[in-house]
Each structure stands twice: as C-alpha cells, then as structure tokens.
Amino acid sequence: MMSWLPENVSSYGGAVDSLFYLVYYITGAVFFLVMGLMIFFLVKYRHREGRRARYSHGNNTLEILWTVVPALILVVLTALSVPTWAKIKSHIPPTDLTIQVIGKQFNWEVTYAGPDGKFGTEDDRTFDNEMHVPVNAPVKVVLLSKDVIHSLFLPNLRFKQDAVPGREIPQWFQATKTGKYVIPCAELCGFGHSGMQGYLYVHTAQEYEQWVKEQWPSS
Amino acid sequence: MSDSVGAAVAVHDTHTGYERLGFVRTYIFSTDHKMIGRQFLFLGLFMLVVGGFLAMLIRWELGWPQTPVPGFGWLFKDTEGVIPPEAYNMLFTMHATLMIFFVVMPIMVGCFGNFLIPLMIGARDMAFPKLNMLSFWTGAVGGVIMLAAFFVPGGAAASGWTAYAPLSAVTEYTGVDWGQNLWCISLFVLGISSLMGAINYITTVINMRAPGMTLFRLPLVIWSLFITAILLLFALPVLTSAVVMLLFDRLLGTHWFLPKGGGEPLLWQHLFWFFGHPEVYILVLPAMGVTSEVLSTFSRKPIFGYRAMAYSMIAIAFLSWIVWGHHMFVSGMNPMIGMSFMLSTMVIAVPSAIKTFNWLGTLWGGSIRFKTPMLHALGFVSTFVIGGLSGIWMANTPVDIFIHDTYFIVAHFHYVVAGIIFAMFASVTYWFPKMFGRVMNEMLGKIHFVLTFIFFNLTFFPMHILGLGGMMRRIYDPTQYEFLQALQPINHFMSISALLLGASQIFFIANFFWSLFAGKKAEDNPWKANTLEWSAPSPPPHGNWAGSPPTVHRGPYEYSSPEVEEDYFPQNRPHPALTGAGSSARVGGH
Ligand code: HEM
Ligand SMILES: [Cu+2]
Ligand SMILES: [Cu+2]
C-alpha cells in the first residue's frame, strides 16, 4: 500500500487515516468496477452490421439493487465516521496546556498564558509563527483572528480549523512524536496567504520543561 | 436597460451599415429562442477563451513559480513579467467566476435551454419571447460589468469565487476596491437575468408541450433543464441578495458580515453555500440530461430506467438544499451539525450513482456508434464518476479535516465542473446540425476529443495526489513551503499538460468555424434520433415547423423497437399500422 498522506503524528490521526483508507478502497473498487464495465460494454456492444440493439427499458431488480446497495454502504460509512468526528471536534479532553493562536495577515500569533495560567495578564508571552508543545499530552488550542478568516492547518496532525474573526474556537490535538512540523494557513486570507506558515515544535516532556524555564526565567 | 442596449447597437452598426433594421431584429434583439440560444452560445464560448487564458496564467505560475510569463509579460509590467501574488489571487478568482457564471451557465442552461426546450416539446417559441431577449441582454450586461473589473484601479476581485467575508467585505484586506464591487454588481445583474430565464423555462415546459407530450414522454434533457430552472428560481435569489448585502457592507457601512459591527462572517458562508450547492447541480443537471440523450441515440437503445432517471434528478434537486454545510465542516460551525450534513451529503451521492449505473445499463446490449458527440458523452460519464467518488471522500468529515482547502478539492470540482466541458462539446457537436444547418467534421472532432480527454486527465488527476500530500489550494508559490518541494515536479507536469489541453482546443475552434461556413449541409435528422427537434428543418425557421407543430405518439427513446423496421421510431411518427386507418386513437405511450 502506498502512503498518500504525510506522516501522521497525532493521537487521533490513526482513526482519520483508517477512514481515509476505507473510503479509498471502497471508491477505488467502485471506480474499477464502473470503468471496467463501461469499457467492456463499449467493446462488446460496438456497432456491427446485422446486429440490432436489445430493446429494453430497464430492469427493476437491478435498479433496486444499485440503489439500495450504495445507500447502505454510504449510511454505514457515515455511522463509522461519526465517533471519530465527535472525538476530534466535539470532546476536548482535560488538559494542562492551553495555547491561544491568533491569525492575522499574514502570521500566526501564538500566545501562552505563562505561570499564572491566565490569558491577558503580564506574564503572557507571544511568539510569531512558533508553537511549542510536549509530546503525548493533549493540548488545547483556542483560535481567534484579528482580521480575516485564516485556517490553522497541521498536516501531520490531521488538524485543520478556521480562525474566524469575532469567534473563539477551542480545539485540541495530541502529538505522538517529537519533531518540527509545519503549520500553513489553509484559507485564502489575502495576497500574503501563500507563504503564511509557522512551525510546531514537539518536545519531550523534559525538553518542554526546559523551554518553559527559558521563556519564563523568573518563576 | 436602454443605455447598454444603445451601446451594443452602436457597436454592431459599424458592421451592418444600411441593413440595420433587419439585421438588428434577426441577430441582436431577436426574440426567436433559437437565436437567443446561439447568442448565449457565443457569449459562453467567448468567455471560455478568456477564462481559459486565465487558467493558463495560473498554471504558468504554479509550474514555473515567479518566472516571467512568456509572451504575456507585458500584462505584469511592474514586476518585469512575473505574476505578483495579488494578481494571482485575481486570476483564480476571475477564472472560477467566469467559468461558472459566464461559461457553463450561459452554454448549458442559456444556450441549450433556449434552443432545445421549444424544439423538443413541440412549441413554436418560449412562453415569453420578449422576456427571453431581456434575459439574454441582461446577462450580457452582467458579463461586460464582470470583464470591466479588470480595468479599474486595484484590479478585479481577488477573494476567491466564494468571496468569503471579511476578506471580500473590506477593501484594505485585499487592496481591491471597485473590482470587488463590480463583482457583486455583475452577479446581481446576472441573478436577475437567470430569474427571468428560469420563469420562462418553467412556464414553457408546463404550458406549451405539444399534444401527446406528457411529462413522462419528455426527453431527459428537458427534465434536466426544467429541474434546473426550478433550482435557479430558488437558489439564485439567495446569491443575488447576498451580493447586495456584501456590497452594502463595502459601500454603505452596514455590518452583515463584519464582526466589528456585530455581524457574522459565517452568515456569508451559509448564504453563499445555500446557493452554492444547488448551483453545482444547476451546472451539472443539464450535462446529465444531454448525456442521456446522446448515450441512448448512439447506442440505438432506449435509455435504461427512464423513470428512475427522472426521479433521481428530482431527488438530487430536493437533497441539494440540505447539504450546503459540507463546505463548512471546519469553518467553526457547530460540529454536531456537521454530522447531519455528512449524512445528507452521503445520501445525495445515491441518485448520482443511480444515474451512472443507468447510463451503463443503456450501453449494455446496445449497438454503439462512436461519433464525436458520443465520445464526449462517454468522456463526461468517466469524469463524473471520478468526481462523484471523490465527493464521498470529502463528505466523510474526519477525512475532510485533512483534505478541505487542499488541491484534492480542486481535483474534485474540476472533475465534476470542468468535466461538464465534455457534455458541452457533446451538445455542441450533437445539435450543431440543427443549430447551424451544417455538420461538423468528424475527423477533427475525434482528434479534439482524444487530445482533450488525455490532457484533461493528465492536468487534473494529479491534483488528487497533491491534495493528499497536503498542498493547499489558492497558494501562489508551492516552493515557499519546504514540505511541498518534493511535489513540485508534479506541478510542473500538470502545467505542461494544462498548456497542451489549452492548445488542443484549437482543433475545436477550427472545426467550429470551418463547419459553420463550409461544413456539409445537414439533413433534418442526421443522427436518426427520435426527439421532436429532428422533425423540424435544419436549421428550423422562425416558428420552428412550417406546417402545424408535431403531435407526440410515444416516448423519446424508442430505439430498435420491434414495432418498426428501422432502428428508431420518432416521437411524432404515427404508428405504421395506423397510418391509412385515419385514426390515432390507439397509439400508446412507451
Ligand atoms: C456525488 C456527489 C457529490 C458529493 C458527495 C460532493 C461532496 C462535496 C463536498 C463534501 C465538498 C466540500 C469539500 C470541502 O471544501 O472540504 C464539495 C465541494 C465542491 N463540489 Fe462536490 N460533491 C458531489 C458532487 C458534485 C457535483 C456534481 C458538482 C458540480 C457539478 C460538485 C461541485 C463542487 C464544487 C464546485 C466544490 C468546491 C467549491 C469550492 O470550495 O470552491 N460536486 N463537494
Ligand atoms: Cu491564509
Ligand atoms: Cu456542495
């Protein structure tokens, strides 16, 4: 099996990817079935002298079959997808770390609440296009925007969410592997949309502690 | 309307000189549905050339980022021939806007709706010929306004064809001032034009069918246009109102979509997609209708499951109102609502599947002739299959988190919307004899099809791969991203294919104009088809039939019927057993 998607480093990414491959194989099979039949018919039933086309207006059994079977497959597929969707978008697990990300033309402003755990206080620290998190811990991200709609995209974490001016949108992810991962903006936001990107640094727990100490040396 | 009309007359005066009155009434302010159809065709083909040229520029930038455009560098003087990012945004915005509103709609709905509805239902003209003329000219004014946007300071709209607020609502965010205003005004005007067309189509189909033309004897293309007209009637006003709200936000200081004044950016998305999803079916239903006509005619076989074909279009029309949220899964809309939109979107794939299987059923056991229109119809079926299947990937919300706003989406909608170009070529080549009284050249037609089909797939299929690799849509330069570097050779390849796809259209243009003036004279029924338009002369005179309009005796797809010797049985031909008996009382439907 060829891997079409970038490496997955998110706790829920595996579930997304299995749904992806499920859909991939189902639609792939349908594609080859339909195209195969079409080519077969085109060859077999090409015009030849002396043969008349079959006079037929349809076949009820077949038509019911090819209505009901796709409908069932699609409804089951939907049912299978609901839990994953709910897990990613509806239930934010309890977490120690909340990060505020503000989109603005054409940067991500990443704000940490600092030792007091509250946003809007003196010890907040903001980084441009840089986000640091510990590995294997759920992280809550609150998305805001200063101007137009942006979209925070973390391809490796199977994460995408628009940042909409006037709204605070809470989301979460949990990285499962240390490293540096790109955070492009996925929603057209103006002439600087292309190239608007930041990086996510996933640290080990110790490294992350270290990083926090460096940023807030006094506490 | 009188100002713009005056201008249009003035332009044409220079060509026509003294024969002014006759010429104007015949070719410009005609109320003949066939002339209006042809006018829509030429409007659409002209815009196709403009929109296609924009696409070539887009592909140039993606294939060879930030290098001067060969031959057209003078368009970007300030940057020494390199397309700057703000111009790039303008290019894709206007490309999509022109293609959707000024190519597919005028050709598939405007041209073929006008040309075919009266001829295929056995009417002498539309119900409201003057309204019809007004509809065309209003649409043409909309087109002029849209093109004018390129020439105002700040350039044309650059916020995407979806014009998401607040980007589209505040000049400072894009630097585009009147360009965006004209975009709104043009779509407003076009909305009015479509409304007039829709009312006309609906009235005509309901009231003006020939004797014997029951609803279930209507050709499927008429069903498709009828349903499209109903969608137009309800969907377009939503856009028409939304663009006015947007214009008010821009010009009058209202805050419909601006959070600063208490407005809601997502309201725009809801309005836009509540229009937008029915809109995609407005684009594709006529293509499906045409495909049914052509497949049946060239397979010499009745359409498989006529009623299922009609009902599935009706189902699509209903369902298309409750799926719009699938464009907004990650917009910040409540995720619970996302689930119900996932379900409705999955369900709308079912009638699409029914149509595809019935097309296969039509080929099954046929006696298939591979004429140019048939090749294009088969091309449409194959691209539609790919686009329909990729729709299921995106309908799946968890998967859509990843592929939303990537090139996967671009791949999907090019397979379905740009795929309509095959249905369009099928229609033009199929009805050309009726429209212009001449037959198009088969050889050129086949060469054009083969090249278009190959380069279409080489251009658009790799977009799936790019999208899965994470490449965002609407980016100006993929090489700005480290993680996309590895994909750049694919972009390069696609751009070359796209340029060749563009170049292949020369065969169509050459064939079209050559056949228009020098093609072989067409018989009345060159394809030996059943529907009523083929019982009129090629091209039909004003009023369509010299004698009384036809009477309908059966359904439109009686090919290879055992009741007659030939392999077709026109809708208007009395049953051979009854001719001479002087009675038509026993003639049944299909
Ligand atoms: C088989 C049924 C179809 C399904 C399940 C489906 C599903 C979807 C979904 C879920 C999206 C949104 C994806 C995203 O932005 O993340 C989408 C986008 C789109 N679809 Fe479809 N689709 C189907 C058929 C069609 C057809 C027939 C057309 C047009 C003729 C069409 C045209 C479009 C367009 C233009 C967009 C993108 C709009 C934009 O964002 O610019 N789709 N489709
Ligand atoms: Cu952006
Ligand atoms: Cu849609």
Side-chain angles (χ1 to χ4, degrees):
Chain A
M1 180 176 85
M2 208 181 144
S3 171
W4 297 107
L5 303 164
E7 184 192 11
N8 163 44
V9 297
S10 125
S11 60
Y12 50 62
V16 172
D17 290 7
S18 10
L19 283 170
F20 170 84
Y21 283 106
L22 178 65
V23 179
Y24 175 69
Y25 287 119
I26 294 176
T27 53
V30 174
F31 173 73
F32 284 109
L33 179 82
V34 170
M35 283 299 141
L37 272 178
M38 186 165 130
I39 292 167
F40 174 71
F41 288 162
L42 292 181
V43 175
K44 176 131 197 262
Y45 300 111
R46 68 186 184 279
H47 167 63
R48 266 166 297 170
E49 279 316 316
R51 197 179 55 80
R52 204 174 162 91
R54 177 149 30 88
Y55 179 73
S56 149
H57 284 282
N59 178 319
N60 284 340
T61 322
L62 268 179
E63 287 181 54
I64 291 170
L65 197 72
W66 65 48
T67 307
V68 174
V69 173
L72 282 179
I73 294 176
L74 290 169
V75 171
V76 170
L77 189 60
T78 308
L80 289 177
S81 314
V82 164
T84 307
W85 173 251
K87 180 171 157 195
I88 299 173
K89 291 289 178 187
S90 300
H91 308 299
I92 299 177
T95 151
D96 298 331
L97 177 58
T98 300
I99 303 172
Q100 212 177 53
V101 179
I102 304 183
K104 68 156 211 240
Q105 288 181 327
F106 299 99
N107 271 313
W108 298 116
E109 287 181 358
V110 183
T111 303
Y112 290 75
D116 68 353
K118 286 195 199 85
F119 285 101
T121 52
E122 286 275 294
D123 66 347
D124 288 7
R125 285 213 56 183
T126 300
F127 304 84
D128 265 356
N129 298 321
E130 220 179 277
M131 192 192 289
H132 295 262
V133 299
V135 73
N136 292 328
V139 178
K140 183 171 159 185
V141 180
V142 178
L143 277 162
L144 298 106
S145 167
K146 278 193 178 155
D147 37 47
V148 300
I149 298 176
H150 302 269
S151 190
L152 190 80
F153 182 26
L154 278 151
N156 301 92
L157 285 114
R158 310 297 186 254
F159 177 102
K160 188 180 288 128
Q161 177 59 51
D162 289 1
V164 183
R167 283 180 179 240
E168 272 188 34
I169 302 174
Q171 295 280 305
W172 74 285
F173 64 78
Q174 176 171 335
T176 56
K177 192 176 157 202
T178 57
K180 179 185 172 188
Y181 305 101
V182 67
I183 320 178
C185 171
E187 182 67 60
L188 176 66
C189 54
F191 65 85
H193 166 57
S194 186
M196 174 170 169
Q197 60 188 321
Y199 286 96
L200 169 74
Y201 297 88
V202 180
H203 303 285
T204 61
Q206 296 88 327
E207 269 172 14
Y208 181 72
E209 282 304 307
Q210 189 59 37
W211 179 80
V212 171
K213 282 220 181 74
E214 280 163 24
Q215 306 308 322
W216 288 271
S218 51
S219 58
Chain B
M1 115 183 181
S2 59
D3 275 3
S4 42
V5 163
V9 173
V11 168
H12 280 271
D13 266 359
T14 52
H15 302 295
T16 57
Y18 54 83
E19 45 164 314
R20 178 188 166 131
L21 242 184
F23 182 87
V24 168
R25 282 222 199 112
T26 322
Y27 292 104
I28 302 176
F29 298 117
S30 171
T31 53
D32 180 352
H33 71 100
K34 297 180 295 298
M35 184 50 69
I36 296 173
R38 281 176 281 215
Q39 290 172 327
F40 270 115
L41 181 65
F42 285 105
L43 172 70
L45 290 177
F46 171 73
M47 291 293 200
L48 180 60
V49 174
V50 180
F53 173 67
L54 300 182
M56 297 297 113
L57 293 175
I58 294 171
R59 277 316 321 175
W60 176 263
E61 168 57 32
L62 291 171
W64 297 270
Q66 312 206 35
T67 51
V69 187
F72 294 95
W74 52 274
L75 287 171
F76 310 99
K77 274 197 216 89
D78 301 347
T79 46
E80 284 157 13
V82 175
I83 303 173
E86 53 279 14
Y88 180 80
N89 291 356
M90 213 172 283
L91 292 177
F92 68 70
T93 300
M94 294 302 279
H95 162 71
T97 304
L98 290 180
M99 288 302 195
I100 289 169
F101 294 103
F102 292 100
V103 177
V104 179
M105 283 172 81
I107 295 184
M108 296 311 291
V109 187
C111 162
F112 289 103
N114 262 301
F115 189 79
L116 296 178
I117 289 176
L119 274 170
M120 290 180 97
I121 67 173
R124 291 201 181 279
D125 206 322
M126 284 285 186
F128 310 116
K130 289 216 180 83
L131 189 69
N132 206 12
M133 175 179 90
L134 191 59
S135 165
F136 171 77
W137 281 106
T138 312
V141 169
V144 171
I145 297 174
M146 192 56 90
L147 291 181
F150 282 112
F151 303 99
V152 298
S159 56
W161 84 281
T162 50
Y164 278 12
L167 185 66
S168 57
V170 178
T171 302
E172 288 69 51
Y173 291 149
T174 52
V176 176
D177 189 4
W178 269 89
Q180 187 76 51
N181 296 345
L182 290 176
W183 185 89
C184 295
I185 295 168
S186 165
L187 291 187
F188 174 77
V189 171
L190 189 74
I192 307 288
S193 155
S194 303
L195 203 58
M196 294 190 275
I199 292 168
N200 213 349
Y201 289 11
I202 294 170
T203 315
T204 308
V205 173
I206 291 180
N207 287 321
M208 313 221 354
R209 281 170 285 130
M213 182 62 94
T214 60
L215 280 181
F216 284 104
R217 282 178 180 173
L218 282 176
L220 287 169
V221 70
I222 300 301
W223 265 107
S224 75
L225 288 161
F226 180 53
I227 296 168
T228 298
I230 296 172
L231 289 181
L232 272 176
L233 185 66
F234 293 119
L236 256 284
V238 180
L239 178 73
T240 311
S241 327
V243 293
V244 172
M245 291 158 82
L246 184 59
L247 195 62
F248 283 5
D249 274 11
R250 292 179 61 83
L251 292 179
L252 305 183
T254 56
H255 295 91
W256 295 104
F257 310 122
L258 294 171
K260 289 207 181 80
E264 173 55 88
L266 290 192
L267 174 63
W268 168 265
Q269 294 186 30
H270 281 292
L271 291 174
F272 186 84
W273 290 117
F274 188 67
F275 144 79
H277 195 87
E279 167 71 10
V280 306
Y281 285 102
I282 289 169
L283 302 175
V284 87
L285 283 174
M288 292 172 153
V290 168
T291 300
S292 299
E293 300 305 316
V294 172
L295 287 190
S296 174
T297 306
F298 290 95
S299 302
R300 313 310 291 165
K301 194 168 164 280
I303 197 86
F304 199 93
Y306 173 92
R307 279 184 186 243
M309 287 303 238
Y311 287 132
S312 58
M313 285 194 280
I314 296 173
I316 285 175
F318 273 107
L319 289 169
S320 72
W321 296 103
I322 54 165
V323 298
W324 81 92
H326 64 216
H327 297 273
M328 300 173 62
F329 287 143
V330 300
S331 66
M333 178 179 76
N334 185 331
M336 296 299 279
I337 305 175
M339 289 188 203
S340 48
F341 280 119
M342 160 160 57
L343 183 63
S344 58
T345 304
M346 292 282 188
V347 171
I348 205 172
V350 175
S352 306
I354 296 175
K355 299 203 69 84
T356 306
F357 290 129
N358 280 346
W359 286 326
L360 282 187
T362 306
L363 298 175
W364 179 32
S367 173
I368 302 169
R369 332 272 152 133
F370 295 97
K371 292 282 197 234
T372 309
M374 181 64 167
L375 294 174
H376 281 293
L378 293 168
F380 171 76
V381 174
S382 9
T383 56
F384 182 74
V385 167
I386 295 179
L389 289 173
S390 62
I392 296 171
W393 301 36
M394 307 173 324
N396 194 296
T397 49
V399 176
D400 192 58
I401 295 174
F402 183 82
I403 56 185
H404 173 69
D405 270 337
T406 67
Y407 260 76
F408 195 89
I409 309 304
V410 184
H412 164 73
F413 66 68
H414 280 93
Y415 266 94
V416 274
V417 183
I420 295 172
I421 199 121
F422 287 107
M424 198 186 90
F425 287 134
S427 321
V428 172
T429 47
Y430 185 64
W431 281 292
F432 193 91
K434 192 54 61 184
M435 277 190 150
F436 301 107
R438 293 176 188 270
V439 188
M440 286 179 85
N441 181 288
E442 265 298 308
M443 197 60 207
L444 282 176
K446 285 195 169 122
I447 295 174
H448 169 244
F449 166 76
V450 170
L451 294 176
T452 303
F453 191 71
I454 291 174
F455 292 123
F456 181 98
N457 284 291
L458 294 184
T459 303
F460 295 119
F461 198 83
M463 288 185 180
H464 295 104
I465 299 169
L466 291 181
L468 298 183
M471 181 172 158
M472 294 74 64
R473 68 191 284 196
R474 294 170 170 171
I475 57 171
Y476 160 69
D477 181 355
T479 62
Q480 291 169 328
Y481 301 85
E482 219 178 287
F483 79 113
L484 297 178
Q485 302 281 356
L487 300 175
Q488 194 51 22
I490 306 185
N491 268 314
H492 201 80
F493 173 81
M494 288 159 52
S495 289
I496 295 170
S497 309
L499 293 172
L500 292 171
L501 175 62
S504 311
Q505 303 318 306
I506 291 170
F507 288 96
F508 177 76
I509 297 174
N511 193 359
F512 188 91
F513 286 104
W514 182 82
S515 308
L516 198 58
F517 299 109
K520 197 164 73 63
K521 283 259 188 297
E523 312 152 39
D524 286 355
N525 191 359
W527 312 116
K528 307 225 175 312
N530 287 339
T531 40
L532 297 183
E533 77 275 29
W534 304 107
S535 68
S538 296
H542 211 145
N544 296 342
W545 288 273
S548 54
T551 303
V552 174
H553 302 282
R554 64 190 61 76
Y557 302 113
E558 294 300 295
Y559 291 104
S560 303
S561 159
E563 297 185 64
V564 279
E565 211 161 292
E566 300 122 305
D567 62 357
Y568 68 118
F569 199 2
Q571 288 191 277
N572 61 314
R573 185 181 299 167
H575 199 283
L578 296 173
T579 43
S583 151
S584 59
R586 278 165 40 224
V587 176
H590 78 246

